[in-house]
Amino acid sequence: MARLTEAVEVIAVTGKADGPRAVLAAWPDYKGKIAKRRRHFSPAQISRAEEALGWFFLIRDADARRALQFEVMCKAGGGKFSAVCRKYGWKRSTVTSRNRVVLKKLAERLRPVSQE
């Protein structure tokens, strides 16, 4: 979760209208609230962020992916997750628990073969 949240913050700060920021703007309810202060990141940090954002594509279930994206965006400063849950009629504790399961499966999938 921390790596995904960091990635969203980095991309939100460094993105331009025709790049990653346009991708973030395509996410539901993104209102440009993330990372209002201007910071600079090294190319290595930006590469790590881009890699982490690509992990969302490894989540096959679109609803699970969307719920995790919402939680990550909120943790990165894009709003209150409880408000998102209310809007969609989700029970926050249930979605948070499901997101933990999704993150665990994602971590297992990303674990290098040498660690198995």
Side-chain angles (χ1 to χ4, degrees):
M1 178 64 83
R3 178 94 184 265
L4 290 170
T5 303
E6 174 190 34
V8 169
E9 291 171 344
V10 169
I11 298 300
V13 169
T14 60
K16 301 214 183 310
D18 61 345
R21 189 168 294 221
V23 172
L24 293 175
W27 286 0
D29 297 335
Y30 175 74
K31 294 183 177 28
K33 297 177 184 176
I34 295 174
K36 292 192 183 280
R37 63 188 182 280
R38 193 76 179 143
R39 298 187 315 197
H40 298 282
F41 297 95
S42 71
Q45 288 172 303
I46 294 169
S47 292
R48 280 176 41 94
E50 290 173 340
E51 175 190 20
L53 288 180
W55 296 344
F56 285 118
F57 296 108
L58 299 175
I59 303 168
R60 292 187 182 115
D61 181 340
D63 292 333
R65 182 175 50 246
R66 187 175 90 164
L68 180 60
Q69 287 174 333
F70 275 128
E71 187 173 1
V72 169
M73 293 286 290
C74 291
K75 284 186 181 293
K80 297 203 181 283
F81 190 54
S82 55
V84 171
C85 290
R86 270 193 309 276
K87 178 178 178 176
Y88 288 97
W90 300 337
K91 185 173 180 188
R92 187 178 194 274
S93 60
T94 302
V95 176
T96 302
S97 295
R98 288 180 182 164
N99 282 347
R100 277 192 228 119
V101 171
V102 169
L103 285 170
K104 183 179 177 188
K105 288 179 183 177
L106 183 61
E108 290 169 359
R109 199 161 174 203
L110 293 169
R111 185 176 301 131
V113 176
S114 62
Q115 290 184 359
E116 292 181 351

